[in-house]
Amino acid sequence: MDANLTLVLTGAAMIGCGVYLVLERSLTRVLVGLVVLSNGVNLQFLVAGGKAGEAPIVGEAAASEMSDPLPQALVLTAIVITLAMVAFVLAMAYRSWQLNDHDDVQDDVEDAAIRRLAESDEQSDSFDLSSDEPETFEQEGA
Amino acid sequence: MNVSLLVPLPVVLPLLGAGAALVLSRRPHAQRAVSVTVLAAMAAIAAVLAVAADQEGPQVAWIAGWPEPLGIALVADRLSALMLLVSSLVTLAVLTYSVGQGMTGDGEERTPISVYHPTFLVLVAGVANAFLAGDLFNLFVSFEMLLFASYVLLTLGGTMARIRAGTIYVVVNLLSSMLFLVALAAVYAATGTLNLAHLSTRLAELPDSVALVLQLILLVVFAIKAAIFPLSMWLPDSYPTAPAPVTAVFAGLLTKVGVYAILRMQSLLFPDQPLTDLLMWAALATMIIAILGAIAQSDIKRMLSFTLVSHIGFLVFGIGLGSAAGFSGAILYVAHHITIQTALFLVVGLIERRAGSSSLVRLGGLARLAPLLGILFFVPAMNLAGIPPFSGFIGKVMLIEAGVADGSVLAWLLVGGSVVTSLLTLYAVAKTWSLAFWRTPLEAHEMAARLVTAEDEASPPRGASPREDRPVRLGHGEGPGLVAQGLDEVERVHDPDHPDRDLHQRLQDGDLPDRLPRSMVWSTTGLVAITVALTFVAGPLAGYTDRAAVDLLERTPYVSAVLEDTP
């Protein structure tokens, strides 16, 4: 199978940019990253379809001249799904902005709790609650 | 009558139902009738398919009847039909439950009721399509269907906690979908087909290194969906914030779809199974690490989310063994785990409804307050831990026997890991039982009070802000000012100025609802009855899963059924 090097490199560059953006903290940037990423992946489908050719419509060209229609159908489906994704993530980013005045991805609650406990050197709340000796808290906490 | 005509119905019916429910969004009664009818019909069809697949072999339907095998094939073999049957029974129970809940008028939460039923049906259609999909791209589309429905259900109402949890869930799953697309492009480039039956022969012709890369990408994708360690971190964080019936159906079905995909891929596409060792190690890590997480939780929902992840390890263990016994054990365990996990989350929903919270810091004396609730929690909890004679025990025994029969060092290690995990599960649920159900509410109140005083003495006042100013603020970038959930909850409860109350205080104030809605209790009872019934049908069921496992290992029934049926 022949692969189009330009398409491969363009796709790779887009996926790289997309991954970089997804690592950002703001949800809108994550969204832009996902869109770039998905378009990069769609290009890979065109690569997977083999060499370019005539439009795959019966009667327009000989079968041997046609490009492979299946990846094109797959890409179309993927594009539709990406559209739904953009709509949903935008709505979520907007809602997050409404509630918090920003759309940053927030800290994991448990992570933050554990970090705070570690900083102040405290017991976690799953510590044996039935213990009859509250003094041990003091010793361990001090 | 040709049974294979029924194969597309489990996908088509819920989709049509979703449309009808959307049209009827202003008439809640008609909407409920539509959803319940559709799901009941699905369960009946799935039962017919299971019998037909068992007696006549895999049932195949080629959508649109293209002359070349280009169309979409839907295949119901023994495995698919069983998964379909279990999932439709479970979703029916969850739907009747959520009707009782007034979905989801949890009192204070304003939730768009009209969206719930259509979305739920789309989710069901996606799950059914995933189980029936005969090609990889259709599997991708069904994943997207169920994921998009799950995004909506998870962020229902758009409260702050749900948006926070939803962000993580959505981004992680979108990334895994992108990776799935990359895998599809690579598979198509390498083999020129995405049909599973075709792939099963063509992948074998590829050089080993190429096949290994394809298998690795697909495995990572499915492992994210199935929440296998180290790709499981998103799950305990996002599931517990959703409404109870939503969490229940997610816990029951979504991860199992990932497990199903791994099982299908390992057995059908990569029969030589070069990555079984990797799967076994992942299974061990999933079991042990997640159950340790479960023990540390102070909220029942979070505890259950961790046990959910942990027991995925058992399923992966069975798949990793790669033997008929291992597959059979895994399939039986999936059926058991779907029902049990859903039942437990529904029960926690009832607890929340009855006692106002699912936090162990606040609960106590539920066994006296609501004895039926006690039974409904106790039976599935023991089942989850694998106490005989329940189906959890039978599934675990099948898996352990398969591990012993395998005999390798790694298999023995996993047998040991399974036993330890079962014990720790028992410890986790027993702790929940004794804290939430057995001690008196007064004891709970006093224990929590002691925790506050102990903490006050142990640490200097943290932060300059007075206590009243630190309610649940999940602010960004506040560093140490962020909440330590349990402790802050205790402080709020014991702060006379704060309206937050634990069970003891609420009992004294007398502001608890007296009764639970009947349909919630009945559907939970029904599901718990199914989990118990699994014990009684375990013999025939194990026979069925044995035959399904042999089918999976032989591969020919599936492949020839699909290829011969090509229109």
Side-chain angles (χ1 to χ4, degrees), chain B residues 26 41 83 133 153 288 337 364 412 517:
Chain B
R26 284 170 190 275
M83 294 287 101
L153 290 175
I288 301 288
H337 199 232
W412 277 104

Side-chain angles (χ1 to χ4, degrees), chain A residues 1 22 25 27 30 34 37-38 41 44-45 48 68 70-71 74 77-78 81 84-85 88-89 92 95-96 99-100 102 104-110 112-113 115-117 119 122-123 125-126 129-132 134 137-138 141, chain B residues 137 140-141 144 148 151-152 155 157-160 163-164 166-167 170-171 174-175 178 181-182 184-185 188-189 194 237 296-298 302 431 447 450-451 454-455 457-459 462 474 476-477 479-480 482-487:
Chain A
M1 190 189 94
V22 166
R25 190 120 200 197
L27 201 53
V30 170
L34 285 170
L37 192 61
S38 74
V41 175
Q44 301 305 311
F45 267 101
D68 187 351
L70 197 59
L74 303 184
T77 315
I81 289 171
M85 169 195 97
F88 188 84
V89 178
M92 204 167 63
R95 181 65 183 157
S96 174
L99 289 170
N100 305 320
H102 61 75
D104 289 2
V105 178
Q106 286 155 17
D107 284 330
D108 182 276
V109 181
E110 284 293 293
R115 192 174 51 207
R116 194 184 64 71
L117 288 171
E119 272 173 10
E122 286 169 15
Q123 296 286 356
D125 56 303
S126 61
L129 294 173
S130 60
S131 163
D132 280 319
F137 286 89
E138 280 181 322
Chain B
F137 197 78
F140 168 74
V141 172
E144 290 308 305
F148 267 97
Y151 301 156
V152 176
T155 52
T159 58
M160 204 184 279
I163 291 290
R164 188 195 64 77
T167 309
V170 170
V171 172
L174 286 176
L175 272 181
M178 292 301 154
L181 274 178
V182 172
L184 290 176
Y188 189 80
L194 289 174
D237 203 49
Q297 299 308 311
S298 63
R302 287 189 66 92
K431 186 181 124 185
M447 277 182 196
R450 216 153 52 209
L451 199 64
E455 196 217 358
E457 288 163 18
S459 66
R462 14 180 197 113
L474 308 174
H476 161 60
L482 275 164
V483 271
Q485 282 177 312
L487 285 177

Side-chain angles (χ1 to χ4, degrees), chain B residues 406-424:
Chain B
D406 187 75
S408 66
V409 178
L410 194 53
W412 277 104
L413 204 59
L414 269 144
V415 168
S418 324
V419 176
V420 171
T421 308
S422 304
L423 277 176
L424 290 177

Side-chain angles (χ1 to χ4, degrees), chain B residues 353-423:
Chain B
R353 184 89 169 194
R354 187 74 179 85
S357 168
S358 64
S359 164
L360 288 178
V361 179
R362 303 187 197 199
L363 293 176
L366 285 177
R368 171 163 294 178
L369 186 69
L372 178 65
L373 206 55
I375 297 169
L376 285 180
F377 179 81
F378 188 77
V379 171
M382 290 301 112
N383 198 338
L384 182 74
I387 299 296
F390 292 120
S391 56
F393 171 73
I394 298 167
K396 287 188 175 95
V397 165
M398 280 174 80
L399 285 170
I400 287 175
E401 273 182 352
V404 172
D406 187 75
S408 66
V409 178
L410 194 53
W412 277 104
L413 204 59
L414 269 144
V415 168
S418 324
V419 176
V420 171
T421 308
S422 304
L423 277 176

Side-chain angles (χ1 to χ4, degrees), chain B residues 66-82:
Chain B
W66 290 79
E68 299 290 320
L70 289 174
I72 296 167
L74 293 179
V75 190
D77 66 346
R78 288 193 175 104
L79 172 62
S80 303
L82 179 67

